[in-house]
Amino acid sequence: MALKAQEIADAIYEHLKKDVDGNNFSKFYIGITNDIERRLFGEHNVPKEQGAAWWIIKEAINKNTAQKVEEHFLNRGMQGDTGGGFEDSVWVYCYKISSKTRE
């Protein structure tokens, strides 16, 4: 189900509470994509097993909404960059940076 920006941000904040570093935004990466499999698990090398890595994905109602969420967390100190993605990049993803991930 596609979500609004505030709904996605709330879900990410809730998920951050589960991690000991949840208040240290610089230890997390935020991005948007049109292909979670390729971007998150392939290019960023995030382990698929939720227990092996901290990550969350949410579908936005459109690219503009996804970008708003991305910019919000970048402004809070998360790693990442704006301006990426394609018109169908409606997936917001966030993961904890580790020695195995590629940023």
Side-chain angles (χ1 to χ4, degrees):
M1 179 178 85
L3 303 172
K4 296 176 182 176
Q6 188 62 54
E7 294 170 312
I8 297 170
D10 289 347
I12 292 172
Y13 279 119
E14 196 61 36
H15 204 61
L16 284 168
K17 289 179 184 178
K18 299 175 185 176
D19 191 275
V20 67
D21 292 319
N23 290 325
N24 188 348
F25 292 101
S26 66
K27 292 190 175 196
F28 296 86
Y29 187 99
I30 187 88
I32 65 171
T33 187
N34 63 349
D35 185 341
I36 287 292
E37 192 69 31
R38 173 189 51 81
R39 188 77 173 131
L40 184 64
F41 304 120
E43 295 172 5
H44 286 299
N45 200 41
V46 174
K48 277 189 179 182
E49 301 78 32
Q50 193 78 45
W54 184 103
W55 54 266
I56 184 172
I57 58 173
K58 294 293 177 184
E59 183 182 11
I61 56 175
N62 57 39
K63 182 184 179 188
N64 288 340
T65 299
Q67 285 179 313
K68 285 180 186 177
V69 175
E70 180 183 46
E71 289 173 8
H72 170 78
F73 285 102
L74 289 171
N75 289 336
R76 298 290 314 259
M78 282 191 182
Q79 303 298 309
D81 199 5
T82 59
F86 301 98
E87 197 54 42
D88 62 345
S89 294
V90 296
W91 291 98
V92 178
Y93 63 91
C94 180
Y95 66 88
K96 187 172 185 179
I97 297 169
S98 75
S99 60
K100 295 180 181 183
T101 60
R102 290 187 299 259
E103 287 63 56

